[in-house]
Amino acid sequence: MKTIAYLGPPGTFSEEAALGWGGPEDQLLPLASIPAVVTAVETGAATFGVLPLENSLEGSVTTTLDLLIRETSLRVSSELVLPVRHMLATRPGLQLHQVQVLHAHPQALGQSRRFVERCLPGAATVAALSNSAALTDALSDSRPAAAITTRRAIELQSAATLAHDIQDHPNNQTRFILLGAEDAAPTGQDRTSLCFAMPENQAGSLLNALQVLAQARINLTRLESRPAKEMLGDYIFLADIEGHRLEPHVAAALQRLQEQTTFFKVFGSYPRYRPPTPDAPARLSSSPS
Amino acid sequence: MKTIAYLGPPGTFSEEAALGWGGPEDQLLPLASIPAVVTAVETGAATFGVLPLENSLEGSVTTTLDLLIRETSLRVSSELVLPVRHMLATRPGLQLHQVQVLHAHPQALGQSRRFVERCLPGAATVAALSNSAALTDALSDSRPAAAITTRRAIELQSAATLAHDIQDHPNNQTRFILLGAEDAAPTGQDRTSLCFAMPENQAGSLLNALQVLAQARINLTRLESRPAKEMLGDYIFLADIEGHRLEPHVAAALQRLQEQTTFFKVFGSYPRYRPPTPDAPARLSSSPS
């Protein structure tokens, strides 16, 4: 049995990710913040921690990036990409045209603007702390209230779905990572996440770093910069590359890359996420054992 | 006379930036949001708009980046870097040990954690909508209250400074840009901001883009990625380069770069900000006329 910590409360997309990784015998541990998830794993309160890393609309979760860069030596052992599906839910019996108050997390509200403008033009909106709390707030509201929430929260709180997939963008996805004491063993279909800083932030130095990867025929699947928290203009680059850090050509390239950098840290190597195909079982092949 | 729109209310760091650009004859226009500042300039309600672009601790202001990428054809005509100095202020007569309530914008509170933990360990914190509103809230609080705020807000609201420079990091700086109908004429010491997307997000394509710049001996001073709002893994890169888009070697490199991209947009060329030296006058040399 393992314990998987995530950003709670139950019913959030983070819980959905945690459920994707956990088996029926595992225990899920909802915590109040992303740093709390990291601390839980570092102190043994949890075996693994689920962190949101990036969203296709909003970009990177900077809290997660900064924790990986500076605070923890835990490793990334798995990744998972979840579609973000926003649902409109309420207490059983209430109909769409009766809704006067809409509870929603500000981000979910911003991502469902078209639906809300068209189908709930007169509703007063109330900010909630999470997609799950939005439903709790709506169900306990004395007025005719609905919530923008998740499928999982609707299931947990026995609410009624008024509308599904109300998000503006069809390609709204969030990528989660699983943090643990060690990263994953090579599978032949892996990804490695790392960060580095260059002696000078000029075209030449970053170019040299990317050339090391290109010469080794290693694909870069993501490149992101974060401020080094020193002066403006000093950046730490976060990169995802294809391959496992233990594969010889990757190990050699990382070694050459490290020699060019003033700061270098590998977050871990792990199987690349592949969405389940209709025929495949729903369990993830990248689930840690 | 020109009108300069900024993210209000008066007393914010954005107002400080606007004051750095405006002359005594100019009018400042505080607005409620960053998109409102852009719309004010587009519709002629303001001549220029001040936008926060990046902070040395927090990173880029993604709202500003996304507006530049997708929504506006306004040009960047100037830049300005301001040190972020957080001050503790209250009504005249109240002393530090008497403070029981602390009003603060959550970001300012997060950046002043050490001071607050040490010098105000028992104070209850109340979230404010801006650094300026924090002081307004504190001054109207019936309890012994103080605020984390700006020098400018203290001056405007005739408050008393209890402590200065309470920020944790000495190198906390924010870079602002001035948006207008046109960018600036070449000065020989310029910077150009642009964004582009590559046909495939692999090491090779970004490498080719950076090589175009390196071959033209153009320094890259900043590289940032933002999600393209399509699938995860599609990015738009924002770059700052040294030089003016009208300089022949820059124009040629930008032309070659554009040929390699699927999306390409120059936000503008403008004089590189140089902090005022002790001997120099406080007015900015990069001020638009």
Side-chain angles (χ1 to χ4, degrees):
Chain A
M1 193 200 82
K2 55 186 188 287
T3 301
I4 303 179
Y6 69 96
L7 178 61
T12 58
F13 289 115
S14 288
E15 192 208 24
E16 197 181 329
L19 287 167
W21 271 305
E25 74 288 0
D26 295 323
Q27 196 173 352
L28 299 194
L29 178 65
L31 292 172
S33 70
I34 291 174
V37 170
V38 173
T39 298
V41 183
E42 284 175 335
T43 57
T47 328
F48 294 102
V50 173
L51 302 183
L53 185 68
E54 57 172 339
N55 174 271
S56 55
L57 303 184
E58 310 286 344
S60 288
V61 181
T62 54
T63 306
T64 297
L65 298 188
D66 288 348
L67 284 165
L68 288 172
I69 294 170
R70 290 183 189 83
E71 291 214 1
T72 188
S73 55
L74 294 172
R75 296 284 191 139
V76 179
S77 62
S78 185
E79 67 171 352
L80 189 155
V81 176
L82 281 187
V84 174
R85 299 183 59 191
H86 294 308
M87 321 294 264
L88 185 74
T90 184
R91 68 181 72 100
L94 194 72
Q95 289 182 295
L96 183 59
H97 72 275
Q98 298 172 313
V99 172
Q100 289 174 18
V101 178
L102 178 62
H103 295 266
H105 186 270
Q107 198 171 70
L109 182 64
Q111 294 178 353
S112 309
R113 204 162 290 284
R114 192 168 48 223
F115 175 87
V116 172
E117 280 170 3
R118 291 181 181 181
C119 299
L120 291 167
T125 57
V126 182
L129 287 169
S130 71
N131 292 314
S132 179
L135 184 56
T136 311
D137 295 349
L139 295 180
S140 65
D141 197 317
S142 59
R143 299 163 292 180
I148 300 179
T149 190
T150 67
R151 280 178 305 171
R152 173 73 180 157
I154 293 171
E155 185 186 312
L156 286 174
Q157 302 187 36
S158 305
T161 304
L162 285 177
H164 62 86
D165 297 293
I166 63 171
Q167 65 275 5
D168 292 340
H169 275 266
N171 293 321
N172 190 346
Q173 299 176 307
T174 299
R175 181 173 166 221
F176 293 89
I177 51 173
L178 190 70
L179 221 57
E182 291 174 26
D183 57 353
T187 67
Q189 295 286 322
D190 302 303
R191 196 192 307 281
T192 298
S193 293
L194 64 144
C195 73
F196 56 87
M198 314 302 296
E200 289 180 10
N201 284 289
Q202 300 190 335
S205 57
L206 181 61
L207 184 70
N208 290 345
L210 298 183
Q211 256 162 351
V212 166
L213 300 174
Q215 279 160 5
R217 297 184 177 278
I218 294 171
N219 279 339
L220 185 74
T221 55
R222 179 161 168 263
L223 184 70
E224 181 85 26
S225 60
R226 284 291 297 156
K229 308 220 179 215
E230 302 296 329
M231 299 299 285
L232 268 182
D234 286 343
Y235 298 100
I236 291 173
F237 290 95
L238 294 102
D240 287 347
I241 59 173
E242 289 183 1
H244 196 286
R245 66 181 174 85
L246 297 179
E247 288 178 80
H249 73 291
V250 178
L254 291 180
Q255 174 67 36
R256 283 201 301 281
L257 181 58
Q258 181 165 12
E259 286 161 9
Q260 297 187 16
T261 58
T262 53
F263 176 71
F264 185 85
K265 186 174 175 185
V266 175
F267 302 141
S269 297
Y270 48 88
R272 288 207 294 278
Y273 178 70
R274 281 175 296 181
T277 54
D279 298 333
R283 297 279 307 143
L284 300 165
S285 61
S286 56
S287 173
S289 54
Chain B
M1 191 200 82
K2 55 186 189 286
T3 302
I4 303 178
Y6 69 95
L7 178 61
T12 58
F13 288 114
S14 287
E15 192 208 23
E16 197 181 329
L19 287 167
W21 271 306
E25 73 288 1
D26 295 323
Q27 196 174 352
L28 299 193
L29 177 65
L31 293 172
S33 70
I34 292 174
V37 171
V38 173
T39 298
V41 183
E42 284 175 335
T43 57
T47 328
F48 292 103
V50 173
L51 302 183
L53 185 68
E54 57 172 339
N55 174 271
S56 55
L57 302 184
E58 310 286 343
S60 288
V61 181
T62 55
T63 305
T64 298
L65 298 188
D66 288 348
L67 284 166
L68 288 172
I69 294 171
R70 289 183 190 83
E71 291 214 3
T72 188
S73 55
L74 293 173
R75 295 284 191 139
V76 179
S77 62
S78 184
E79 67 170 354
L80 190 156
V81 176
L82 281 187
V84 174
R85 299 183 59 191
H86 294 307
M87 321 295 262
L88 186 74
T90 185
R91 67 182 71 101
L94 194 72
Q95 289 184 294
L96 183 59
H97 72 274
Q98 298 172 313
V99 172
Q100 289 174 17
V101 179
L102 178 64
H103 295 266
H105 186 270
Q107 199 171 71
L109 182 64
Q111 293 179 354
S112 310
R113 205 162 290 285
R114 193 169 46 224
F115 174 87
V116 172
E117 281 171 2
R118 292 181 182 180
C119 298
L120 291 168
T125 57
V126 182
L129 287 170
S130 71
N131 292 314
S132 179
L135 183 56
T136 312
D137 295 350
L139 295 180
S140 64
D141 197 319
S142 58
R143 300 163 292 181
I148 300 179
T149 190
T150 66
R151 280 179 303 171
R152 173 74 181 157
I154 293 170
E155 186 186 312
L156 286 174
Q157 302 188 36
S158 305
T161 304
L162 285 177
H164 63 85
D165 297 294
I166 63 171
Q167 65 275 3
D168 293 339
H169 275 266
N171 292 321
N172 191 346
Q173 299 176 307
T174 299
R175 182 174 166 221
F176 293 88
I177 51 174
L178 190 70
L179 221 57
E182 289 176 25
D183 58 353
T187 68
Q189 295 286 321
D190 303 303
R191 198 193 305 282
T192 298
S193 293
L194 64 144
C195 72
F196 56 87
M198 313 302 296
E200 289 181 9
N201 284 288
Q202 299 191 335
S205 57
L206 181 61
L207 184 70
N208 290 345
L210 298 183
Q211 255 162 352
V212 166
L213 300 174
Q215 279 161 6
R217 298 184 177 279
I218 295 172
N219 278 340
L220 185 74
T221 56
R222 178 161 169 263
L223 184 70
E224 181 85 25
S225 60
R226 284 291 297 156
K229 308 220 178 215
E230 302 295 328
M231 299 299 284
L232 268 181
D234 286 344
Y235 299 100
I236 291 173
F237 291 95
L238 294 103
D240 288 346
I241 60 173
E242 289 182 2
H244 195 286
R245 66 183 173 84
L246 297 178
E247 289 178 81
H249 73 291
V250 178
L254 291 180
Q255 174 66 34
R256 282 200 302 281
L257 181 58
Q258 182 166 12
E259 286 161 8
Q260 296 188 16
T261 57
T262 53
F263 176 71
F264 185 84
K265 185 174 176 184
V266 174
F267 302 142
S269 297
Y270 47 88
R272 288 208 294 276
Y273 177 71
R274 280 173 297 180
T277 54
D279 297 332
R283 300 277 307 142
L284 299 166
S285 62
S286 57
S287 174
S289 53

